[in-house]
Amino acid sequence: MALLLACLGALACVSLNTTLTHAQQCSNRVLQAGPSNYDNVIATLLPGDTLILSNSQGAYPGLSVEGLQGTDSCRITLKGAEGQARPVIVGDGASNTVQLDNTQYVTLKRLEIDGRDLGGDGLNARGLSHHIILEDLYIHGVGDDQQTVGISTNATQAAWDWIIRNNIIERAGTGLYLGDSDGSSPFIRGIIEHNLVYDTIGYNMEIKHQNPRGNLPGAPPDGSKSIIRHNVFSKQNNASSGASARPNVLVGHWPLSGVGMNDTYEIYGNFFWYNGTSEPLFQGEGNIAFYDNLVVNPAGPGVWIQPHNDVPRNIRVFNNTVVATSSGISVTGGAQGFQQKVVGNAVFAQSPINAADQKDNVTDTKANAVNYVKNPSGTPSAGNLDLFPLAGKLTGSVIDRSSFSNQFSDWNKDFNGQQHDATFRGAYSSGGNNPGWLPKIERKPSVTNPDPVPPAAPTGLRVL
């Protein structure tokens, strides 16, 4: 193979193998670049390459990742160096700050994306973009308008097998906007986990309803799952009101026919906090499993599963703890021939549960929640919100789990990741002292790395 000695700007020279054989599919090069030459280096990236962007030479005027195509075993990675401040990508108001276009098997990691509130999305995808990993990004400066988005796939032909993990999006117009308003640009089989999205003007996250997908070679099969887990979604500050008010999170229906009509959202282990606009913390339709979440709204409703662009179909709402001012869990307008079940929840609200098919729940008023859990009137900012059951509370006979057992990821784990023994109502599976993380406006820690990371540090944040 030809051997090339490449020098990248003022950075170190590296020895590169530039010709790949059939036996060696990954180049495995580790390259470096700075603001003066990064565009030229990106254009040369091969499957298996890692490009480390310097953080010591000033900001990067946008980042365009067009046509890069790694492979399943040889991803292309662009990232900031571990243990150092993130490289800063800045917007100019004329375009999106980071633009993906027909990009596949690419990872973006440890970057700060600052739109400077000039307009343009933080990160936007076009074309056919699949097998994308967005990890440990800090996205801000995208709050000039409610239509400005932190992460958007609204211009794709389709986006599938995305992993959006350990990111912080603050004060965006909309945090994540996955799909498009007309039902095109389907977002398929994604994993959205351990993110913090807070103080957005509109949605923290919206995944749009989907039209029939047509021919998408290589796309996931019917019956796939999109997983939304262990995130923190908060709209305590900065939210629009009136006709522009939005829920924290909304998920739309899957295709009504063809491939994807049997897809499901698995939404679990999340902390939903505050919406003072009369909108709920979560709204959805289609096929949804919503479980082991903490849902706390001191100013309005909790969970609405109801018609939006279509209707609820297969719905399972189980083992959630909900504290809300008006309605707690409402499931209405479901399609005939499908089941909408509400099982094993602990709900404290003026109207705790409105659902035709409910069983094995504990309900009471918001004021009486203090008789069941440790500190339902605490706040995330004070670090004293604690919905862990008091000793001997929220327990009873074994819950009938036949409608959801073994059907969903981690279906038998509680909010802390502990085994759920089926006698406890709500998101936890024991009582007394809470051995896990108390909900705050920070990224929820993983079970394997229990140290949470606060949001107020745009440089040097650790991946959990």
Side-chain angles (χ1 to χ4, degrees):
M1 291 185 290
L3 189 66
L4 174 67
L5 188 67
C7 294
L8 303 175
L11 300 169
C13 296
V14 294
S15 178
L16 307 180
N17 289 322
T18 58
T19 304
L20 300 179
T21 68
H22 291 294
Q24 182 184 354
Q25 296 298 314
C26 293
S27 72
N28 294 321
R29 301 182 300 175
V30 178
L31 314 177
Q32 296 184 10
S36 64
N37 68 330
Y38 70 114
D39 281 335
N40 292 333
V41 177
I42 289 171
T44 71
L45 293 177
L46 302 172
D49 281 347
T50 296
L51 174 60
I52 298 176
L53 299 177
S54 169
N55 68 351
S56 62
Q57 300 180 33
Y60 293 75
L63 177 62
S64 179
V65 184
E66 298 188 12
L68 283 189
Q69 298 188 9
T71 68
D72 185 29
S73 57
C74 303
R75 300 187 67 84
I76 297 173
T77 299
L78 293 80
K79 69 176 187 175
E82 300 293 335
Q84 298 183 22
R86 289 178 176 80
V88 180
I89 318 297
V90 296
D92 60 8
S95 57
N96 300 311
T97 305
V98 176
Q99 185 68 66
L100 306 183
D101 195 347
N102 289 312
T103 308
Q104 293 137 37
Y105 294 100
V106 169
T107 297
L108 300 182
K109 183 176 180 180
R110 299 206 75 258
L111 305 174
E112 180 176 345
I113 299 171
D114 180 3
R116 300 193 290 183
D117 288 323
L118 298 175
D121 295 340
L123 183 148
N124 180 281
R126 295 192 296 236
L128 194 62
S129 294
H130 59 81
H131 291 89
I132 303 298
I133 297 177
L134 306 178
E135 184 170 5
D136 197 17
L137 306 178
Y138 173 52
I139 301 175
H140 60 107
V142 286
D144 60 293
D145 187 88
Q146 188 162 331
Q147 305 303 313
T148 304
V149 183
I151 296 173
S152 174
T153 66
N154 72 326
T156 61
Q157 178 185 351
W160 68 78
D161 287 331
W162 281 48
I163 299 175
I164 303 174
R165 171 189 294 151
N166 289 328
N167 304 291
I168 293 174
I169 303 175
E170 68 174 19
R171 296 183 70 83
T174 296
L176 298 100
Y177 188 84
L178 306 176
D180 205 0
S181 58
D182 62 358
S184 63
S185 304
F187 184 81
I188 310 166
R189 200 169 66 181
I191 298 177
I192 301 164
E193 62 182 3
H194 289 284
N195 301 285
L196 167 62
V197 188
Y198 71 109
D199 290 353
T200 57
I201 300 172
Y203 299 103
N204 291 151
M205 179 174 73
E206 182 181 19
I207 304 181
K208 297 299 297 185
H209 65 285
Q210 297 182 16
N211 300 330
R213 293 173 185 166
N215 184 29
L216 291 173
D222 187 48
S224 296
K225 298 176 179 179
S226 279
I227 297 174
I228 303 167
R229 62 187 174 195
H230 307 307
N231 303 283
V232 174
F233 298 111
S234 171
K235 280 173 59 69
Q236 183 163 4
N237 304 297
N238 202 40
S240 59
S241 59
S244 297
R246 297 292 185 269
N248 293 38
V249 173
L250 186 147
V251 298
H253 67 78
W254 301 104
L256 301 182
S257 62
V259 174
M261 65 181 298
N262 294 305
D263 285 9
T264 300
Y265 291 107
E266 294 183 347
I267 303 169
Y268 68 94
N270 303 283
F271 172 44
F272 297 85
W273 168 255
Y274 206 96
N275 190 315
T277 69
S278 77
E279 295 289 323
L281 300 180
F282 174 80
Q283 181 178 333
E285 63 180 357
N287 304 321
I288 300 171
F290 187 89
Y291 53 105
D292 295 315
N293 300 287
L294 301 183
V295 180
V296 186
N297 192 359
V303 176
W304 290 354
I305 295 177
Q306 63 186 32
H308 187 58
N309 287 291
D310 189 57
V311 297
R313 293 178 178 256
N314 283 319
I315 302 295
R316 299 292 183 271
V317 180
F318 60 95
N319 293 144
N320 301 282
T321 299
V322 179
V323 179
T325 299
S326 52
S327 66
I329 295 173
S330 177
V331 180
T332 60
Q336 292 185 355
F338 295 85
Q339 295 181 333
Q340 299 91 40
K341 291 183 175 292
V342 179
V343 180
N345 302 279
V347 186
F348 308 102
Q350 180 180 348
S351 174
I353 298 177
N354 175 27
D357 191 346
Q358 54 177 293
K359 187 176 182 181
D360 293 326
N361 302 286
V362 169
T363 63
D364 208 330
T365 64
K366 179 187 174 189
N368 286 341
V370 69
N371 298 323
Y372 301 86
V373 299
K374 296 198 71 172
N375 190 8
S377 60
T379 63
S381 60
N384 61 357
L385 176 63
D386 192 350
L387 302 186
F388 205 69
L390 298 170
K393 299 294 185 178
L394 297 185
T395 187
S397 60
V398 173
I399 294 170
D400 178 4
R401 303 196 286 186
S402 60
S403 63
F404 56 81
S405 63
N406 297 308
Q407 296 183 42
F408 308 114
S409 304
D410 297 330
W411 65 273
N412 58 350
K413 300 292 181 65
D414 74 357
F415 183 83
N416 286 337
Q418 303 300 308
Q419 194 77 17
H420 208 298
D421 68 3
T423 63
F424 276 86
R425 279 63 175 160
Y428 294 107
S429 61
S430 60
N433 292 321
N434 190 343
W437 173 76
L438 293 182
K440 303 179 183 68
I441 307 305
E442 62 188 16
R443 293 185 296 188
K444 181 183 176 183
S446 67
V447 174
T448 56
N449 186 349
D451 295 326
V453 178
T459 59
L461 289 171
R462 295 185 291 110
V463 175
L464 294 173

